[in-house]
Amino acid sequence: QFTDTLGDVNGVSRGIQNVAQLADETGRDLTVVTSTRFDVPDRPTVKNFKPMFARPMPKYPQLDAVLPPLTRMVRWAEKQKPDVIHVSTPGLVGAVGVLAAKMMKCPIVGTYHTDFPSYIDKLFDDYGLTKATELYMKVFYGGFARVFSRSDQFRDEMLRVGIGDEKMMTLQSGIDLRAFGTGFKDQSIWEKLGVDTAAEARDGTGGVKVLYCGRVSIEKNLPVVTRMWRRAADL
């Protein structure tokens, strides 16, 4: 599995880390391949190649733009003799995975985690750049046997960049009940966060509590979320 993000703080990185962990725990023959200067999990199922060059990405410093060691990665992949190559991201590391699959005539599948044309449109507000990104995504995923989506809602975005219905499959999410479950319920959390629950009980309103779970970044539309919080508080 080739990915451009593994040590970064984002949902894609976290999900792939979970896959590497489960593969390690269950003895599955899967290796996650990346090239990053960030710390990555120290597992037999993770292979990190030191990038030849890395710098923060323009307009998005939380991510690195890297130049992976192409020759070393392809030679390593050839030695592994994979049955299938899974590309998780359409960056340069993902492109190495595509190249390796074509050289070995190996089946290739991928996951459409992120609608990059929408990101580009939001970050740069440049019509030409947005359309160029759409074209790149169409070319990148053009030779894949299957493209997984994390939700059915991504179907329209995938169609827009030229990924046909016959290639799409929805990859259902799962929940690790060892980490998430009602057994972790703790009502004292509100007091720790400074919420006066006693006052809410006295005036009979019960109060409105909104919890945002996600990164603080521009594409999360936090101004919209803030306005929603304020409206909820006025109810």
Side-chain angles (χ1 to χ4, degrees):
Q1 184 173 13
F2 285 74
T3 177
D4 289 87
T5 179
L6 189 64
D8 320 72
V9 179
N10 60 66
V12 177
S13 172
R14 183 63 195 178
I16 296 173
Q17 288 184 30
N18 289 345
V19 168
Q21 177 182 343
L22 289 172
D24 190 13
E25 292 174 352
T26 59
R28 304 300 174 93
D29 190 6
L30 177 144
T31 304
V32 175
V33 184
T34 192
S35 179
T36 180
R37 58 181 177 176
F38 294 129
D39 292 333
V40 299
D42 184 15
R43 293 184 176 279
T45 50
V46 173
K47 178 69 174 177
N48 182 26
F49 289 85
K50 183 179 179 181
M52 298 173 63
F53 171 82
R55 59 162 294 174
M57 193 173 294
K59 296 284 188 177
Y60 210 102
Q62 298 96 326
L63 297 179
D64 263 1
V66 306
L67 180 63
L70 171 62
T71 303
R72 286 179 53 217
M73 294 178 75
V74 170
R75 286 177 178 171
W76 176 87
E78 289 177 332
K79 291 179 181 178
Q80 306 310 306
K81 296 182 172 57
D83 296 307
V84 62
I85 286 181
H86 183 164
V87 172
S88 290
T89 53
L92 290 179
V93 174
V96 172
V98 173
L99 178 62
K102 289 183 176 179
M103 290 178 63
M104 293 184 288
K105 294 181 172 54
C106 176
I108 182 169
V109 299
T111 302
Y112 196 93
H113 284 286
T114 304
D115 184 21
F116 280 106
S118 295
Y119 268 49
I120 295 298
D121 187 49
K122 181 75 173 178
L123 292 171
F124 294 93
D125 192 24
D126 186 310
Y127 177 81
L129 191 57
T130 300
K131 286 300 178 182
T133 305
E134 288 183 1
L135 177 61
Y136 172 77
M137 298 291 274
K138 180 177 181 179
V139 173
F140 186 87
Y141 287 102
F144 286 36
R146 290 289 186 274
V147 181
F148 300 107
S149 169
R150 296 313 312 271
S151 71
D152 293 334
Q153 286 68 34
F154 255 32
R155 178 180 176 276
D156 290 341
E157 284 76 9
M158 294 169 72
L159 287 172
R160 190 180 75 246
V161 300
I163 301 172
D165 268 323
E166 72 282 358
K167 292 186 177 183
M168 294 184 196
M169 294 184 69
T170 300
L171 186 63
Q172 299 293 341
S173 298
I175 298 175
D176 185 352
L177 297 180
R178 297 171 300 178
F180 299 94
T182 56
F184 295 98
K185 184 177 180 180
D186 180 9
Q187 286 296 122
S188 68
I189 186 65
W190 302 115
E191 182 179 349
K192 296 174 184 176
L193 293 174
V195 178
D196 190 350
T197 54
E200 292 176 354
R202 286 195 301 272
D203 63 27
T205 63
V208 176
K209 306 178 185 69
V210 180
L211 177 64
Y212 168 73
C213 298
R215 288 180 297 115
V216 179
S217 54
I218 187 171
E219 78 278 1
K220 301 303 180 184
N221 285 329
L222 291 184
V224 175
V225 176
T226 302
R227 288 196 294 271
M228 292 172 60
W229 287 347
R230 289 172 178 169
R231 289 178 183 174
D234 292 338
L235 295 177

